[in-house]
Amino acid sequence: MRAELIELTTPLSRDYRAVVRLIVGGIAESLDFAFDEVDDLQLAVERLLAEAGQTGSVNISFELGPRSVRTRVGPLRERTIADALQGPPPAPGELNLRRILEAVVDSYGVEDAADGAIYVRLEKVREAR
Amino acid sequence: MRQSRTRSPSEAAKARKQDRLLLRRYHLDGDTTAREELIERHLPLVRSLARRYAGRGESLEDIEQVGAIGLIKAIDRFELEREVSLATYATPNVVGEIKRHFRDKGWSIRVPRALQELNASMSNAIDRLTGRLGRSPSIAEIAAELKSTPEEVLEALEVGSAYSTVSLSTGPGGEEALDPMETIGEEDEGFDQMETRTALEPALGHLPEREREILRMRFNEGLPQTQIADRVGLSQMHVSRLIRKSLSTMRDELA
């Protein structure tokens, strides 16, 4: 059973977003994700990083399964991200980070870390063909 | 085929007067339908300006979208006491937005021509494969279709994804390449000052109707890109770009 781990540490600065997107794309491609699935995962990570501010750095790990990837992003110090993801569901028609993640990944979760920081887990599964 | 004709002086004066009325309705009464009408009325100007930048490795439609952002900024920032027509005021904003877009991408400087061409052919290839396979193609399938490699496809997608948040919030310090007129009305602020918020809702109303509709279909109806592309008559790749661009625009609006 395939379970490989790829880890990356990157500055949160937007200057590195394109690099992160390329890496996420490469990882998704290695699992033979479809174009829209690759795009979804890139968008999920990109939006998460966009909400996390621009200072400091963040770790991103990718755990590759046979046809899925579990992405873990953190530590993130913006409590608003956890609040958005753990709080009440958005009202109908409301668009926030939670609504976006619900649309583009199969599941997500929030883990508490030290110093009030959090890690966000995203799981994306390749559709059967 | 788009048609254009020159307005007579009286028609031009009438159009300017109508613009004034709409600007007053929008800025004084908060009438967003007036704003929408202003956008629609001046899209031909955006198209005309965008055509000047065609043939640089990016689709005309994409350039028009970028130019439309400049138009919207011009409408939003127009000061009623200005003794200038909206078209005159908007032109440098639209051109500035397009130039900044190309500059931020470094398209003509850093991106090899082969990658530009690959990007340009990608959209059709994805739609062709989607039709043939009945599903969204994998990156490897796109690469095979274009006689390329998955790595090159990913790179080309990245250079073509274009609408990174950078292009919409570059600070005024980076405007040296623009003519003075082209920076009129620019008030972009540094991203560092951005307050983190996760509710994008307040900025949704500032997007063009089509983008709002695409976001609604994707995130409220949960439709996949392929279905949205069918509904709005765009390529899947273009839908993807519009979603990304819209979210970045909204995020920057909240900065």
Side-chain angles (χ1 to χ4, degrees):
Chain A
M1 185 123 178
R2 188 181 182 183
E4 292 164 342
L5 185 69
I6 298 171
E7 290 180 305
L8 164 75
T9 301
T10 174
L12 275 168
S13 163
R14 66 168 60 194
D15 295 344
Y16 296 90
R17 301 270 166 81
V19 177
V20 172
R21 277 178 51 78
L22 205 50
I23 291 169
V24 172
I27 288 168
E29 193 280 322
S30 75
L31 294 169
D32 205 25
F33 274 30
F35 166 78
D36 56 355
E37 293 166 335
V38 174
D39 197 65
D40 281 348
L41 186 59
Q42 287 176 322
L43 188 67
V45 174
E46 183 177 84
R47 294 328 307 164
L48 202 50
L49 296 185
E51 299 295 343
Q54 276 236 97
T55 53
S57 60
V58 68
N59 301 314
I60 309 176
S61 67
F62 304 92
E63 191 183 324
L64 280 59
R67 48 182 282 259
S68 69
V69 57
R70 283 185 182 176
T71 306
R72 189 166 176 263
V73 184
L76 301 169
R77 304 196 183 283
E78 299 293 346
R79 274 310 297 182
T80 47
I81 298 176
D83 292 344
L85 299 181
Q86 293 177 312
E94 186 185 345
L95 182 59
N96 67 1
L97 180 64
R98 176 168 172 164
R99 177 82 72 195
I100 293 168
L101 294 187
E102 283 173 349
V104 297
V105 294
D106 293 277
S107 64
Y108 65 85
V110 177
E111 298 169 11
D112 289 319
D115 304 327
I118 58 163
Y119 280 83
V120 176
R121 284 179 284 102
L122 310 166
E123 184 170 31
K124 185 73 181 168
V125 182
R126 190 189 72 209
E127 260 191 43
R129 292 183 201 138
Chain B
M1 185 171 169
R2 284 175 183 137
Q3 294 185 330
S4 62
R5 66 181 186 88
T6 307
R7 281 177 175 160
S8 70
S10 65
E11 284 177 321
K14 193 176 170 187
R16 282 197 298 272
K17 193 175 174 186
Q18 180 65 15
D19 281 348
R20 280 273 160 191
L21 288 172
L22 290 168
L23 283 163
R24 289 182 68 82
R25 271 172 49 196
Y26 173 50
H27 282 283
L28 299 181
D29 306 331
D31 182 350
T32 53
T33 60
R35 181 178 184 264
E36 294 291 333
E37 195 174 334
L38 283 165
I39 294 169
E40 286 296 324
R41 286 167 63 83
H42 289 274
L43 280 179
L45 170 68
V46 172
R47 291 188 191 113
S48 164
L49 294 169
R51 277 197 292 274
R52 296 182 194 174
Y53 294 87
R56 299 187 183 193
E58 182 135 33
S59 77
L60 180 59
E61 195 172 13
D62 282 354
I63 303 169
E64 288 176 359
Q65 288 293 331
V66 174
I69 293 169
L71 169 64
I72 293 166
K73 285 182 177 178
I75 292 169
D76 287 351
R77 293 168 178 174
F78 191 88
E79 293 167 8
L80 292 171
E81 57 271 23
R82 280 181 187 274
E83 296 293 331
V84 63
S85 73
L86 178 60
T88 303
Y89 179 71
T91 296
N93 281 270
V94 172
V95 171
E97 199 70 34
I98 293 171
K99 278 190 175 182
R100 190 160 48 251
H101 169 73
F102 277 101
R103 184 201 60 205
D104 286 343
K105 288 176 66 179
W107 187 270
S108 57
I109 302 167
R110 295 194 297 267
V111 179
R113 185 161 191 83
L115 219 48
Q116 291 183 35
E117 288 170 356
L118 183 60
N119 178 270
S121 57
M122 195 114 61
S123 184
N124 283 339
I126 291 170
D127 288 347
R128 205 163 49 238
L129 284 167
T130 301
R132 196 188 303 159
L133 301 169
R135 58 170 170 78
S136 189
S138 68
I139 302 295
E141 287 165 339
I142 298 168
E145 178 77 4
L146 295 170
K147 297 179 176 52
S148 182
T149 66
E151 291 76 18
E152 286 170 339
V153 168
L154 284 170
E155 270 191 83
L157 280 171
E158 184 52 40
V159 296
S161 70
Y163 303 105
S164 72
T165 48
V166 178
S167 66
L168 296 170
S169 63
T170 304
E175 300 301 319
E176 70 285 350
L178 303 180
D179 298 335
M181 273 300 287
E182 292 174 345
T183 62
I184 290 173
E186 291 296 332
E187 293 166 3
D188 292 343
E189 293 175 357
F191 191 79
D192 285 341
Q193 298 164 13
M194 192 162 101
E195 182 185 341
T196 296
R197 298 170 201 168
T198 53
L200 297 166
E201 203 68 17
L204 193 59
H206 293 180
L207 292 177
E209 174 61 31
R210 183 178 64 172
E211 276 81 332
R212 285 205 303 269
E213 183 62 12
I214 288 173
L215 291 182
R216 190 190 61 73
M217 286 191 272
R218 182 70 188 97
F219 299 113
N220 289 107
E221 284 189 48
L223 293 181
Q225 288 176 6
T226 45
Q227 281 186 34
I228 297 171
D230 280 346
R231 283 200 190 180
V232 297
L234 294 174
S235 69
Q236 188 184 345
M237 199 160 104
H238 197 73
V239 167
S240 157
R241 288 179 185 179
L242 285 179
I243 289 172
R244 175 163 289 112
K245 184 190 72 169
S246 299
L247 292 175
S248 293
T249 303
M250 290 164 68
R251 194 66 183 74
D252 286 354
E253 287 240 356
L254 295 174

